[in-house]
Amino acid sequence: MVVTRIAPSPTGDPHVGTAYQALFNYVFAKQHGGKFIVRIEDTDRSRYNPTSERRILEMLEWLGLSPDESPLKGGPNGPYVQSQRLPIYHQHVRILLEKGAAYRAFDTPEELARAREEALRAGKQEMGYNRRYRDYPPEEAERRAAAGEPHVVRLKVPLEGKTIVHDLLRGPVEFDNATLDDKVILKADGYPTYHLAAMVDDHLMGVTHVIRAEEWLTSTPFHIHILRAFGWKEPVWCHTPLLRNPDKSKLSKRKMDTSVDSYRAQGILPEALLNYLGTMAWSMPDGREIFSLEEMLVHFRLERIRLGAPVFDLEKLRWMNGKYIREVLSLDDLAERVKPFLERAGLTYPSEDYLKQVVEVMRARFETLQEFVDKSMYFFSEAYPMQEKALAKLREGAQLLPELHERLQKAPNMLPETTEPLLRGYAEAKGIKAAQVMQPLRAALTGSLETPGMFDLLFLLGKERVLRRLERAIERTRAS
RNA sequence: GGCCCCAUCGACUAGCGGUUAGGUCACCGCCCUUUCAAGGCGGCGGCAGGGGUUCGAAUCCCCUUGGGGUCACCA
């Protein structure tokens, strides 16, 4: 059975890179009838963020990438949080120590820093660990360890030969063992490093395909040596390109908004974000750009992932979100999604029906759910702002306002069939262009010059509000 | 800097030896139009460079250049 996983570390906001990896791992596992696991890698106590784990798990649910096994769901291979698996790692480190595949090293951080400095000054190319304790007598090491002397455990990597990483997308990637390092696998604080913990867990959890970001490619030889030291089989390695900032560097929160929570708060739809991520380094065979997770499940092939690292383009994400808003979601669904945003803005609506009609006329005019709220305020409140340019238009047409008020008041209703001839007829009678009537009226009714069509506006606002707003506008132009 | 990966319009991509190099976003026009959008139509714009291989290279090979990643008791 195919088993994939993502192994996020709970260090901050749920990252789009995590969502990206989750997408590929989820889709690949699911289309093979396999399992998708989430394991929390919290072995760095200094960077631990207590809310992060929950938010990462929530993000996955929001996106619809539910894991089969996770800290929340549990599963046969738990626990799924590495800090709760310490005995397992210790037991495995013990095995490597006994096999002579790893060794204890008693260098202090200061000593290491000094050694690095010296190596640097000597102009050495490889700046790895000097392997001072590699051949230290094991009995002596055990004695010092038993005496409570702080130390780490390092893996004894081969000094010669080559290690070949068989990457699914790249083919064989060759590394000279001489360039490898005896990296730490167990830290002085008793926590394993990523390398050891990930390999032990992947093995114990039955992970068959390691689909992860390319930044891991160069540490894969080391991972292979950990697996070999245990005598375990390698998974299929598949390193996917890194998402990038507009300046082409690795996607980072310093340069970009990388928080999925933040996109969610702005009103980016989960479907749109997922769809957009699905077009990063991957594409549908038929070239379709708008596709659902279900459709991706049908057509996804790992082999179709390109190796060039794509730039995460906010502009296109927003466009795609707009596409979902105006073409993919049903009106009912869209109205439903907009509700929490209205609520957060403290805006209320008189009826479901009214809300739906507003959403319908606004639909082509907003790209995020938050934008709907920002641009539709005047449909829900009298406390909408009067924009500078709108005020100018209002003044331009100030003398028309009383007449418009009078005519609209006499109108039997605000239906388009009534108001359209009324307004057009009025413009004609005055010998001016329709726009000269519409614009001041628009400004009076909405405080804006960017709104849905006038007849929709009149109908949705209703006679009472239309007249009231006109009166207020007349007051306003008179006052100034 | 060492090692590793990568390279088609500004961005995302199709292409897998023979195409006028196609699509999407962005940008620019035009149309529609009461504004703003949306939509329709059109345009701008690309195979990093140099060598090979081949009857024929965006496609295969090599070099150069460029970009990225990685070199922690972080993941």
Side-chain angles (χ1 to χ4, degrees):
Chain A
M1 178 169 56
V2 168
V3 180
T4 66
R5 50 74 166 176
I6 56 165
S9 51
T11 54
D13 282 11
H15 199 280
V16 294
T18 304
Y20 184 54
Q21 290 304 321
L23 174 62
F24 287 166
N25 276 278
Y26 175 89
V27 170
F28 182 73
K30 289 297 148 183
Q31 71 178 180
H32 286 88
K35 285 194 303 188
F36 167 56
I37 299 176
V38 174
R39 182 177 68 226
I40 298 295
E41 312 237 324
D42 60 344
T43 56
D44 183 354
R45 293 169 311 154
S46 64
R47 294 204 305 159
Y48 182 73
N49 175 318
T51 67
S52 188
E53 174 184 329
R54 176 182 54 75
R55 288 189 294 145
I56 290 168
L57 264 13
E58 275 175 11
M59 164 187 84
L60 294 171
E61 296 302 325
W62 179 68
L63 288 170
L65 305 176
S66 290
D68 297 290
E69 298 173 22
S70 77
L72 238 54
K73 292 232 172 70
N77 304 302
Y80 293 89
V81 177
Q82 289 186 330
S83 60
Q84 293 166 20
R85 299 170 63 82
L86 261 28
I88 298 174
Y89 307 125
H90 292 160
Q91 178 195 331
H92 282 85
V93 166
R94 189 83 242 169
I95 293 172
L96 296 186
L97 246 16
E98 279 163 10
K99 278 185 169 179
Y103 59 94
R104 299 185 196 274
F106 297 87
D107 315 81
T108 64
E110 296 72 37
E111 285 172 336
L112 290 176
R114 209 176 311 128
R116 250 192 298 270
E117 254 174 61
E118 276 166 30
L120 198 65
R121 216 171 314 121
K124 285 183 72 174
Q125 296 296 11
E126 269 94 44
M127 296 181 292
Y129 175 54
N130 62 21
R131 299 188 161 111
R132 184 143 75 108
Y133 287 89
R134 185 170 163 116
D135 299 313
Y136 196 69
E139 317 75 46
E140 187 62 13
E142 289 307 316
R143 191 191 56 72
R144 287 172 70 174
E149 198 172 326
H151 65 282
V152 300
V153 176
R154 290 176 180 271
L155 188 76
K156 221 180 249 187
V157 298
L159 270 17
E160 302 170 335
K162 294 184 183 305
T163 304
I164 297 172
V165 176
H166 292 277
D167 185 88
L168 182 69
L169 300 175
R170 278 161 266 258
V173 181
E174 206 175 273
F175 293 86
D176 210 324
N177 289 341
T179 65
L180 266 34
D181 195 15
D182 285 358
K183 284 183 194 305
V184 172
I185 56 175
L186 189 71
K187 300 183 250 183
D189 65 2
Y191 279 69
T193 57
Y194 168 84
H195 309 292
L196 191 268
M199 290 309 107
V200 168
D201 289 346
D202 284 349
H203 175 258
L204 263 23
M205 294 177 181
V207 172
T208 57
H209 297 252
V210 171
I211 304 164
R212 68 205 330 184
E214 188 183 349
E215 57 186 329
W216 295 107
L217 184 57
T218 47
S219 41
T220 307
F222 186 73
H223 296 166
I224 288 175
H225 287 115
I226 292 176
L227 296 173
R228 285 183 187 167
F230 284 114
W232 294 338
K233 194 169 163 254
E234 284 179 45
V236 173
W237 305 108
C238 176
H239 293 90
T240 64
L242 248 13
L243 260 23
R244 304 206 239 181
N245 297 311
D247 71 359
K248 310 273 192 185
S249 57
K250 168 166 93 167
L251 194 64
S252 65
K253 82 175 171 196
R254 272 279 137 256
K255 298 175 181 173
M256 273 285 291
D257 189 354
T258 60
S259 164
V260 174
D261 283 357
S262 153
Y263 289 116
R264 183 179 180 176
Q266 288 166 41
I268 294 290
L269 305 163
E271 296 94 326
L273 179 57
L274 222 40
N275 188 162
Y276 179 66
L277 290 175
T279 65
M280 300 270 84
W282 190 79
S283 59
M284 274 286 189
D286 66 3
R288 229 179 320 171
E289 274 198 297
I290 303 298
F291 51 84
S292 66
L293 182 59
E294 290 67 34
E295 291 171 302
M296 191 169 171
L297 237 17
V298 174
H299 298 284
F300 184 73
R301 293 289 173 271
L302 274 180
E303 293 77 6
R304 243 187 110 74
I305 297 175
R306 309 172 11 98
L307 292 174
V311 170
F312 190 83
D313 181 19
L314 242 50
E315 201 75 53
K316 192 155 182 183
L317 204 214
R318 287 177 56 84
W319 167 79
M320 196 170 271
N321 205 58
K323 195 84 175 162
Y324 270 77
I325 284 170
R326 71 187 96 91
E327 290 176 22
V328 180
L329 298 190
S330 69
L331 183 59
D332 285 0
D333 191 356
L334 183 56
E336 226 28 70
R337 308 234 197 173
V338 134
K339 284 181 185 174
F341 287 81
L342 281 175
E343 193 174 343
R344 206 196 314 150
L347 298 173
T348 56
Y349 47 95
S351 70
E352 288 294 314
D353 205 50
Y354 178 78
L355 175 61
K356 266 187 236 167
Q357 291 181 68
V358 172
V359 169
E360 187 170 29
V361 300
M362 286 300 295
R363 209 170 190 181
R365 297 176 167 83
F366 64 99
E367 287 188 319
T368 66
L369 300 177
Q370 181 55 45
E371 236 176 54
F372 170 77
V373 172
D374 298 340
K375 293 182 173 178
S376 316
M377 199 102 66
Y378 52 83
F379 280 116
F380 304 101
S381 163
E382 294 306 311
Y384 55 89
M386 173 65 68
Q387 288 164 14
E388 206 56 47
K389 283 180 180 170
L391 186 58
K393 274 287 175 215
L394 191 62
R395 292 206 168 107
E396 269 178 39
Q399 74 290 348
L400 304 172
L401 266 25
E403 280 179 26
L404 279 171
H405 182 274
E406 191 189 331
R407 294 190 180 216
L408 286 166
Q409 192 167 33
K410 282 183 188 154
N413 56 52
M414 290 290 111
L415 291 172
E417 353 3 340
T418 305
T419 57
E420 179 154 12
L422 187 156
L423 291 180
R424 291 197 191 283
Y426 174 68
E428 211 174 315
K430 299 285 284 185
I432 56 179
K433 285 193 281 187
Q436 288 175 276
V437 175
M438 306 280 196
Q439 288 295 70
L441 182 56
R442 188 186 313 280
L445 299 180
T446 68
S448 170
L449 256 23
E450 299 165 13
T451 78
M454 180 53 68
F455 313 116
D456 284 332
L457 231 36
L458 290 168
F459 174 74
L460 283 171
L461 255 17
K463 192 168 183 177
E464 195 185 320
R465 274 194 290 181
V466 165
L467 294 179
R468 199 177 340 126
R469 290 184 186 190
L470 261 177
E471 285 155 22
R472 222 169 49 183
I474 291 166
E475 280 304 309
R476 179 171 208 146
T477 51
R478 202 175 281 156
S480 57

